[in-house]
Amino acid sequence: MKIYRNGKEIVLTDEEIMEAHAEHIKSFMRNELITVYGLPDEEAEDYSELAYSHYTSGNGYTEYDCIEWAVTIYDLPNLELEDSYLLLWPKGTKKFFSSLDDAVFAAATKVSFPFPAYEQIWILASNDKGKVVPVKKYRSSDLLLEDLWKSLTDVPFDPDSEDRLVLAEPWFNFPAGTDQEEIWAWFDERYSGGVAKLMFPSLFNPSQKEPSETATLLDAVEKKVFSMHSTNPDAFTDPDTILADLFSKVDMQLTGTSEELFNIYRRSGDKQAVKDLFLFFTDISFDEYLQKCIEETASLAVADLKS
């Protein structure tokens, strides 16, 4: 499609046309919610998105049907949501749950992964002023899966007879006794970044701000500890000595150490930093180390054949 602005021809893609159409409808809905129904601007923004999600559900509703439906959700009496959570599926289906986790579980059970970008899943509850407000708005499958992953954090796992970690109690759709790796595989199939990104999100986002606690501790070491050690070196153990002591306690002969190192490299969002750290501690480059592994393993294999 071509449009003209200020004498210039602009070609729009199908996706851009759909986005413009969606924004036009949501803008109309937002304006109606403010001028006709008296919703505050911020809440009108939220509920216009909810109305639009209902509009695109494929049930044949008109724009005004969906605006009125969104208003009925906004006007739910506080008593109806007292100590409970309301889950709204894309096609307007409503169901109440006693806990937020239960509502998240139900949402993850109901939808397919990934669900279409135009669909939204909302979980609502009453705020301290007695007004129904969204506490969760899932505009993508990944956002829902991230919350589901967080709920797994406090679930207990026990070793079984084969020393595998298995669920100590039922969780989500998995029965007690399910292997932890089976659950990880379920997430890995559905989450766009794979289970490794759920486990180590900071490794996949090098631009992410450094945790404030870590930054504070690092400043304390650089400004205070180094300063005290330089003025009175015999009175304090310096960070270099502490680091050397820590390395001396590590059993580097344990099977799987190199495999974990390789996994850290693959998961990292800043692979050069991993390589720099490896060079710093070993005095050879990471590539040299990998080449050494190949050459020495090959030599051993040849020796075994000859013997």
Side-chain angles (χ1 to χ4, degrees), residues 221 225-226 229 237-247 280:
V221 170
V225 177
F226 281 136
H229 185 263
T237 302
D238 69 299
D240 291 339
T241 303
I242 294 172
L243 187 60
D245 288 343
L246 290 172
F247 272 112
F280 177 76

Side-chain angles (χ1 to χ4, degrees), residues 101 104-109 113 138 142-153 155 171-174 186-187 190 198:
D101 274 356
V104 172
F105 292 165
T109 302
F113 292 97
Y138 299 118
D142 278 357
L143 293 175
L144 177 55
L145 287 167
E146 285 165 9
D147 271 0
L148 192 62
W149 177 264
K150 290 174 186 175
S151 75
L152 181 62
T153 305
V155 176
W171 174 81
F172 184 40
N173 291 334
F174 298 96
W186 185 89
F187 278 99
R190 291 162 176 80
L198 288 169

Side-chain angles (χ1 to χ4, degrees), residues 253-265:
Q253 299 299 317
L254 285 175
T255 301
T257 302
S258 59
E259 184 178 0
E260 181 58 27
L261 172 64
F262 300 157
N263 287 336
I264 290 172
Y265 175 79

